[in-house]
Amino acid sequence: MSTSSLDPAIAARLKRSADGLVPAIAQQYDTGEVLMLGWMDDEALHRTLTTGRCTYWSRSRQEYWVKGDTSGHFQHVKSVALDCDADTVLVRVDQVGAACHTGTRTCFDTDVLLRKAEAEAE
C-alpha cells in the first residue's frame, strides 16, 4: 500500500481494520443487486473516486487492481457512499460482465443459506 492523495477530510472519517483497509461493497446501481465485496485502502478509494473505475487492494497479491483490467468485466462508478459508522464503503456501479472471479454475475448466488421470501410464497 502506498501514500494516498485521498481528501484528508474523508481519510479522517474512515474507520479502518488493523491492516488499514475498509470493506467495499459493489452494488448494481439500477437494480440494487449486491455484486461483490472488495477491500480498499485510502489510495484505492482515492483512485475509485477520481477515475470512475473501482480500484481495490488485493490482500492475497498485496497490490492494487482495477476491476476489469484483466477480465474485461468493468465496474463503472455511479456513486460512492460511506455507511453511518464510516467503516464500510458502498460503491454503486454499472457492472459490465461478471462481478465474481468465478465468472458469475454476483459473488452471492452460489451458497444461498436462506431464501425466506421464496419460502413464504410457497
Side-chain angles (χ1 to χ4, degrees):
M1 292 185 271
S2 66
T3 305
S4 175
S5 300
L6 183 64
D7 180 325
I10 297 170
R13 292 190 57 213
L14 288 178
K15 293 180 185 158
R16 301 162 195 80
S17 64
D19 53 2
L21 301 172
V22 294
I25 300 166
Q27 179 184 40
Q28 179 63 34
Y29 82 100
D30 54 353
T31 66
E33 179 182 26
V34 177
L35 301 169
M36 60 172 278
L37 170 77
W39 295 91
M40 292 184 179
D41 66 356
D42 289 19
E43 181 59 21
L45 180 55
H46 167 73
R47 292 179 188 186
T48 298
L49 291 169
T50 58
T51 66
R53 294 198 35 224
C54 284
T55 301
Y56 300 99
W57 175 256
S58 171
R59 296 179 302 165
S60 59
R61 295 188 311 267
Q62 294 291 295
E63 65 184 17
Y64 295 103
W65 57 280
V66 179
K67 185 69 173 172
D69 274 0
T70 56
S71 67
H73 300 162
F74 299 99
Q75 290 178 341
H76 301 285
V77 176
K78 296 293 187 177
S79 68
V80 180
L82 291 175
D83 75 336
C84 58
D85 297 321
D87 63 359
T88 304
V89 176
L90 176 63
V91 186
R92 299 188 77 218
V93 302
D94 188 10
Q95 177 70 46
V96 176
C100 188
H101 71 281
T102 64
T104 60
R105 171 82 179 155
T106 171
C107 293
F108 297 99
D109 61 355
T110 303
D111 291 318
V112 176
L113 304 179
L114 175 67
R115 233 179 264 259
K116 192 168 184 173
E118 288 179 6
E120 290 173 353
E122 293 175 355

